[in-house]
Amino acid sequence: MTEAQARSSSSLKAIASQCQPAETINAIEPLGNGNVNETFLVQLNGNNQANFVLQRLNTAVFSKPELVMQNLLALSDHVDQKLSEGIPQLNGRRWELPRPLKWADGQQDWLEENGNFWRAITFIDNANCLEVLQDLQQAREVGFGLGMFHLLISDLPATALADTLEGFHITPNYLAEYQQVLKHSQLIASADAEWCIKFIQQRQALAAVLEAAKARGELQLRPIHGDPKINNLMLDAESGQAIALIDLDTVKPGLVHYDIGDCLRSGCNPLGEETTNLAAVHFDLQLCEAILEGYLSVARGFLNEADHHYLYDAIRLIPFELGLRFFSDYLNGSVYFRSDFPNHNLQRALVQFKLTESIEAQEQEIRAILERLRGSQP
Ligand code: GN1
Ligand code: MG
């Protein structure tokens, strides 16, 4: 089945009806703005509670999708257990986790058909995710959500999680791949591409900052989300409180710095990562402070001296890394990130590099925020 065919509604219904009886399915619609997997909401007749998310995993990215499912199941069990024991910091707040649903005979956790890998997961109802943050309260909630997620998985043993995406967030590897792609790409002749090449060249030395600290034993691996951009966080539709992190395919051992950097590069970019208004791209300090405030209100206890020391580096590194990933993919013919037009990944790279520049220009202010929050108690 080609991608276009997979999206056609009749074939989607044929897939979804292997999870829920066809006569109960009312509609199937695209959901969210993911750049990797294909995601749909399956709406059932009259029963909102049972609506579910249908996803076709991108097996070019996740080459061992059964390991992704294994992690998801291990994660669900662990978080269920933690929630049933009670988490004081939740203070009565609703908290949810997307869970895999069973297929066909109720035995299988996924469906493989014609080379496609499908899964069904619970839909978190009565909640929204945002492409950009509208106010500081939302920013605090996003930070709280990431902190809560880290807290809930902090004691999930590393051995329970498979490595679903080798090399993910290992910036020096992305740099090495980029250098290979650059040698053969036909797409380097525009002014924008030349600007990107120069931008990367000037910052090569910073690529290894977190990996070097890890290799020296200063930073430790812990379970992380891997992809906590703000549209992977859900806020309750009524209270506005953070209630879930979704898109759990990259949950695996890593540095919490990858997550903090990713959440901030996404949350503090008020124009969003798809903007075309490059001159106006900037990193917002107030949003940064509010996200970190929310995060540290839960996570202060599990960050040590060295973790704090590398926070600024992470905030600068992760947008640079994402820019590098987008740009390499552009040079390589856009085979990784789904794109809607030929220069899409070039444009996305430029946005991340402009954001990196804005972070660098505000280094002193960001360091002052980190210092201030580190001292203040919850
Ligand atoms: C991808 O699938 P999605 O859109 O949630 C990517 C992230 C990037 C993000 C940029 C597995 O996430 O690392 O930060 O695009 N996920 C993977 O929008 O590569
Ligand atoms: Mg994702």
Side-chain angles (χ1 to χ4, degrees):
M1 197 190 292
T2 65
E3 193 164 315
Q5 282 167 328
R7 281 206 206 94
S8 92
S9 67
S10 60
S11 55
L12 280 173
K13 193 162 178 181
I15 299 293
S17 62
Q18 296 185 55
C19 189
Q20 285 289 323
E23 60 278 12
T24 64
I25 297 172
N26 180 28
I28 305 179
E29 278 157 15
L31 183 68
N33 295 313
N35 291 330
V36 174
N37 298 322
E38 268 184 89
T39 309
F40 305 90
L41 174 64
V42 182
Q43 290 172 302
L44 301 183
N45 292 317
N47 183 4
N48 278 349
Q49 301 276 305
N51 289 349
F52 66 96
V53 175
L54 177 68
Q55 276 189 314
R56 189 169 80 105
L57 249 77
N58 182 334
T59 47
V61 171
F62 297 106
S63 59
K64 295 185 185 133
E66 56 297 335
L67 293 186
V68 172
M69 297 308 294
Q70 195 180 297
N71 280 4
L72 201 51
L73 292 161
L75 183 70
S76 291
D77 288 350
H78 180 81
V79 173
D80 277 351
Q81 176 67 26
K82 298 280 289 187
L83 291 174
S84 72
E85 288 163 8
I87 303 290
Q89 290 93 328
L90 275 175
N91 206 8
R93 157 193 308 241
R94 168 186 177 202
W95 190 268
E96 298 199 23
L97 191 80
R99 289 184 175 73
L101 298 171
K102 295 282 183 196
W103 287 80
D105 52 2
Q107 300 292 314
Q108 285 161 243
D109 293 302
W110 62 83
L111 176 78
E112 277 180 276
E113 203 172 81
N114 300 324
N116 292 301
F117 190 101
W118 296 92
R119 68 168 171 210
I121 42 183
T122 52
F123 175 63
I124 297 176
D125 204 9
N126 204 24
N128 305 313
C129 48
L130 307 161
E131 293 303 320
V132 290
L133 295 175
Q134 280 131 12
D135 57 45
L136 299 181
Q137 187 50 28
Q138 285 182 346
R140 259 177 235 113
E141 283 302 320
V142 161
F144 177 95
L146 181 61
M148 180 52 62
F149 189 82
H150 281 172
L151 182 68
L152 287 167
I153 62 172
S154 58
D155 53 354
L156 178 60
T159 48
L161 296 173
D163 191 349
T164 48
L165 198 50
E166 266 177 54
F168 193 49
H169 288 308
I170 311 294
T171 319
N173 290 6
Y174 292 120
L175 191 60
E177 281 163 24
Y178 157 74
Q179 275 148 355
Q180 285 308 311
V181 170
L182 192 59
K183 284 187 196 156
H184 307 290
S185 181
Q186 312 288 312
L187 295 168
I188 57 174
S190 70
D192 282 342
E194 279 172 18
W195 186 89
C196 289
I197 292 167
K198 196 154 165 229
F199 190 90
I200 296 166
Q201 201 173 16
Q202 289 163 343
R203 286 161 183 79
Q204 288 190 53
L206 92 95
V209 60
L210 295 181
E211 296 318 302
K214 189 166 87 185
R216 287 193 296 269
E218 293 176 61
L219 299 178
Q220 278 83 39
L221 291 176
R222 306 177 216 200
I224 61 160
H225 181 281
D227 188 12
K229 60 176 179 180
I230 55 168
N231 69 11
N232 282 333
L233 254 130
M234 303 214 71
L235 305 183
D236 182 88
E238 271 113 55
S239 67
Q241 290 185 321
I243 54 146
L245 264 74
I246 56 170
D247 197 359
L248 306 174
D249 303 328
T250 49
V251 172
K252 59 177 190 146
L255 298 178
V256 287
H257 295 72
Y258 306 152
D259 276 359
I260 298 168
D262 196 56
C263 188
L264 288 169
R265 67 108 198 132
S266 152
C268 307
N269 172 4
L271 300 183
E273 62 187 77
E274 295 291 331
T275 183
T276 52
N277 187 0
L278 289 177
V281 171
H282 66 282
F283 184 85
D284 186 291
L285 292 176
Q286 281 190 310
L287 291 169
C288 170
E289 181 151 12
I291 293 177
L292 285 168
E293 213 177 274
Y295 179 76
L296 291 171
S297 73
V298 197
R300 192 173 268 107
F302 56 76
L303 293 189
N304 61 29
E305 191 69 25
D307 291 331
H308 281 286
H309 179 77
Y310 286 101
L311 284 179
Y312 172 75
D313 295 302
I315 295 170
R316 177 170 62 160
L317 183 66
I318 300 299
F320 173 73
E321 178 193 273
L322 183 59
L324 181 64
R325 293 173 62 202
F326 280 140
F327 186 53
S328 296
D329 193 36
Y330 164 73
L331 294 178
N332 200 28
S334 291
V335 291
Y336 185 99
F337 295 103
R338 188 170 324 131
S339 55
D340 300 331
F341 51 91
N343 284 357
H344 199 164
N345 284 319
L346 174 61
Q347 176 200 296
R348 288 167 167 158
L350 289 164
V351 173
Q352 294 305 314
F353 289 152
K354 289 285 173 189
L355 195 63
T356 308
E357 262 186 346
S358 170
I359 291 167
E360 290 170 348
Q362 299 181 92
E363 173 172 352
Q364 293 318 319
E365 291 84 347
I366 297 170
R367 287 194 185 276
I369 291 172
L370 291 168
E371 240 356 89
R372 200 158 57 238
L373 289 174
R374 185 181 170 175
S376 64
Q377 293 307 309

